[in-house]
Amino acid sequence: MDTRRVLRTTGTVIAAAGLFLSGCTTGGSAPGAAASGPGRASTPGADPAATPAALAPYYRQKLTWRPCGVPGFECATMKAPLDYARPASQGGKDIELAVARKKATGPGKRLGSLLVNPGGPGGSAIGYLQAYAGIGYPAPVRARYDMVAVDPRGVARSAPVECLTGPAMDAYTQVDQTPDDAAEQAALVEAFKKFAQGCAQRSGTVLPHVSTVEAARDMDVLRAVLGDEKLNYVGASYGTFLGATYADLFPSRAGRLVLDGAMDPSRPAVDLNRDQTEGFETAFRSFAKDCAAQPDCPLGQGNPDEMGRRLKDFFRKLDAQPVGTGERRTLGESLATTGVIAAMYDESAWPQLRQAITDAMNGDGAGLLALADSYYEREADGTYQNLMFANAAVNCLDLPPAFRGPQDVQAALPSFEKASPVFGAGLAWASLNCAYWPVKATGTPHRLEAKGAAPIVVVGTTRDPATPYKWARSLAGQLDSGVLLTYDGDGHTAYGRGSDCIDSTINRYLLEGTPPQDGKRC
């Protein structure tokens, strides 16, 4: 099975700001969710009636579209201020953002542009558009909308944040993230410091300007440049925070917004990371129940508690003695844990995970290593995409760090291990990464209300590992016009993952503007 397809095209991009990953994390790095902490930055005022004169050249720019290697898609480059407080007309610098689109195919009246973002933070929206959304979204939606994506600032093709070389990143991903003594703690801290220093050295100019608020303001420039009066948008995972931030900044310009796999912008980093830890435990327990019913389950039979203890014991063995993978790298506890977490995002990966754990228990770690590599976006040649670099950069700017030092982690360990006996310790230590970030956070936890916006559909999956369901309930309650749509199921996000109920409900909203009844369940 192509793990990269499983993890990327279901509407999510995994994210991780720390050594451990996170499909969404914020302010620290708990694994797998899509969230980056919220942040407020100075703006000229919410939803200004008129564009400030200094920004007018950006809003009036014309894009030059060109073919970009994928049939049916066009690409362009858009300029935005590196710092919105100091645009080019006031002596500041510009940043170039990569944009792609696939025009509406018809039939039916064109409804404008539909911007998509897969999350992360750090996931390439253009990659998601070209590999999935532009060809895999429901045909009636693609018929009526120009499908559009912009790689957010610091991501992929848009002034990407760079931090470590391939070999250095290999070493970073293998550092013990469940330190057993002071020496291992010191090694982990040093790894976080080297990562942060690498980002500062390689990307120091862009690093202070990759916040979610700035990315949301870029989306408003794009909206205007595309000729749309309102922004129509589907955001998954961290993309829900980006979309909700846009609606809060520009409520009268918010059109039909779908926020799938929502995060809660009102919670501080430590709470978000602990919530995610609990989410991965919920997903693991669901996997364990399914595994116990299969003849090839490597964790044996029994209840999820017993199976979790067996997996934890296996991780401990790998900590003491890594196994081979058929290449120069070995599979130790850190990469094995990452591989298991990666498969929690989509239940269709569970058979692959069962086989990978079985092989690793028999001395062949190649399967779990492949899952971990997909999560980290490591290429076969040993290079890495910039997902993890951008993930840390955005998360550490959007929220103050979850922990200030190892002593804070030690104090929080019991609560993290209670949230997840299997993953708690590793995710607690992973949340330390932003403590050493070279740029001070500009954001704080806060409610996003978007007063005056049109109805916004917030989608939550009951057993979502990366963006726990309670986050969707919270965000829908914060948004003045939020409508909660619930999917009772497994995996990360819901749209396009096999539920006719979810898909038809969202399609109707996107095509007709009719939101579901608040509280609808599928």
Side-chain angles (χ1 to χ4, degrees):
M1 178 184 296
D2 180 353
T3 359
R4 182 163 303 231
R5 181 189 62 78
V6 169
L7 297 179
R8 296 289 177 262
T9 63
T10 55
T12 136
V13 168
I14 307 175
L19 189 56
F20 218 156
L21 12 136
S22 175
C24 153
T25 247
T26 109
S29 181
S36 144
R40 276 206 191 282
S42 59
T43 68
D47 209 12
T51 301
L55 298 181
Y58 301 101
Y59 277 78
R60 291 198 301 258
Q61 68 184 294
K62 302 295 183 184
L63 299 185
T64 301
W65 295 100
R66 62 189 184 279
C68 49
V70 180
F73 292 87
E74 300 175 302
C75 291
T77 301
M78 184 184 85
K79 287 186 177 182
L82 177 66
D83 182 352
Y84 273 89
R86 195 168 178 240
S89 62
Q90 297 176 357
K93 297 180 179 179
D94 286 342
I95 188 170
E96 294 190 341
L97 306 176
V99 182
R101 74 177 177 187
K102 186 178 184 184
K103 288 187 176 180
T105 57
K109 181 182 178 182
R110 180 182 172 276
L111 295 173
S113 305
L114 181 64
L115 192 65
V116 296
N117 183 282
S124 170
I126 291 178
Y128 174 71
L129 175 75
Q130 294 178 338
Y132 176 65
I135 56 177
Y137 266 32
V141 173
R142 292 183 285 113
R144 305 283 300 281
Y145 283 101
D146 290 347
M147 302 294 294
V148 179
V150 55
D151 279 346
R153 50 178 60 210
V155 174
R157 301 163 179 83
S158 296
V161 172
E162 299 293 344
C163 299
L164 300 177
T165 64
M169 189 64 181
D170 278 347
Y172 178 75
T173 63
Q174 296 180 75
V175 173
D176 189 348
Q177 53 203 5
T178 56
D180 301 313
D181 53 37
E184 290 185 350
Q185 281 187 33
L188 182 58
V189 168
E190 183 61 22
F192 286 142
K193 288 180 176 179
K194 284 185 177 179
F195 186 97
Q197 290 164 2
C199 299
Q201 291 167 0
R202 291 166 172 256
S203 302
T205 300
V206 72
L207 220 54
H209 300 291
V210 294
S211 72
T212 297
V213 165
E214 289 162 306
R217 299 191 67 183
D218 294 339
M219 294 199 318
D220 195 56
V221 174
L222 179 59
R223 172 203 58 76
V225 169
L226 292 171
D228 292 325
E229 182 180 345
K230 293 181 181 290
L231 180 84
N232 300 309
Y233 175 82
V234 177
S237 197
Y238 158 80
T240 67
F241 174 51
L242 180 58
T245 298
Y246 178 89
D248 197 55
L249 289 171
F250 307 103
S252 71
R253 301 176 187 175
R256 300 169 188 178
L257 270 58
V258 177
L259 308 180
D260 184 14
M263 62 162 297
D264 183 352
S266 68
R267 293 176 69 74
V270 65
D271 291 342
L272 288 170
N273 289 349
R274 191 186 291 109
D275 290 346
Q276 267 194 343
T277 300
E278 186 176 344
F280 279 96
E281 180 68 18
T282 297
F284 170 76
R285 294 178 75 84
S286 191
F287 162 75
K289 290 175 183 176
D290 178 79
C291 187
Q294 310 299 327
D296 62 343
C297 182
L299 301 178
Q301 309 304 308
N303 62 48
D305 291 332
E306 295 168 337
M307 298 169 77
R309 285 192 289 270
R310 291 175 192 138
L311 182 60
K312 190 76 178 290
D313 288 343
F314 175 57
F315 287 157
R316 290 194 188 99
K317 290 179 182 178
L318 290 176
D319 189 28
Q321 185 61 54
V323 298
T325 63
E327 57 173 279
R328 287 178 297 176
R329 291 180 298 158
T330 57
L331 181 81
E333 180 186 16
S334 294
L335 285 171
T337 305
T338 300
V340 172
I341 281 178
M344 293 296 102
Y345 280 83
D346 192 318
E347 64 272 25
S348 69
W350 291 356
Q352 181 184 5
L353 177 60
R354 292 197 304 271
Q355 185 63 53
I357 295 174
T358 299
D359 291 345
M361 288 180 167
N362 290 321
D364 179 5
L368 281 177
L369 183 65
L371 283 165
D373 283 351
S374 176
Y375 191 89
Y376 282 125
E377 290 200 344
R378 184 186 191 272
E379 303 296 341
D381 63 1
T383 61
Y384 287 77
Q385 299 296 319
N386 96 308
L387 169 65
M388 293 300 160
F389 308 143
N391 184 277
V394 176
N395 282 331
C396 295
L397 197 59
D398 273 351
L399 278 184
F403 300 124
R404 293 165 298 175
Q407 68 284 353
D408 290 348
V409 182
Q410 292 282 10
L413 272 175
S415 65
F416 274 75
E417 291 180 315
K418 180 180 179 182
S420 175
V422 178
F423 306 117
L427 298 188
W429 283 104
S431 304
L432 182 60
N433 72 308
C434 288
Y436 310 104
W437 202 245
V439 180
K440 186 177 180 180
T442 56
T444 57
H446 62 280
R447 291 170 58 86
L448 292 175
E449 299 178 352
K451 291 182 178 179
I456 298 172
V457 176
V458 179
V459 188
T461 298
T462 56
R463 294 182 294 281
D464 191 314
T467 50
Y469 177 62
K470 65 181 181 181
W471 289 359
R473 289 202 313 263
S474 179
L475 180 60
Q478 291 172 43
L479 291 168
D480 191 49
S481 58
V483 175
L484 179 63
L485 173 62
T486 298
Y487 173 54
D488 186 0
D490 296 295
H492 184 38
T493 72
Y495 187 43
R497 297 191 70 248
S499 168
D500 290 339
C501 174
I502 290 289
D503 291 355
S504 61
T505 300
I506 292 176
N507 291 346
R508 184 183 181 202
Y509 170 67
L510 290 175
L511 295 171
E512 302 174 15
T514 306
Q517 183 177 356
D518 187 26
K520 178 179 174 68
R521 294 181 72 90
C522 293

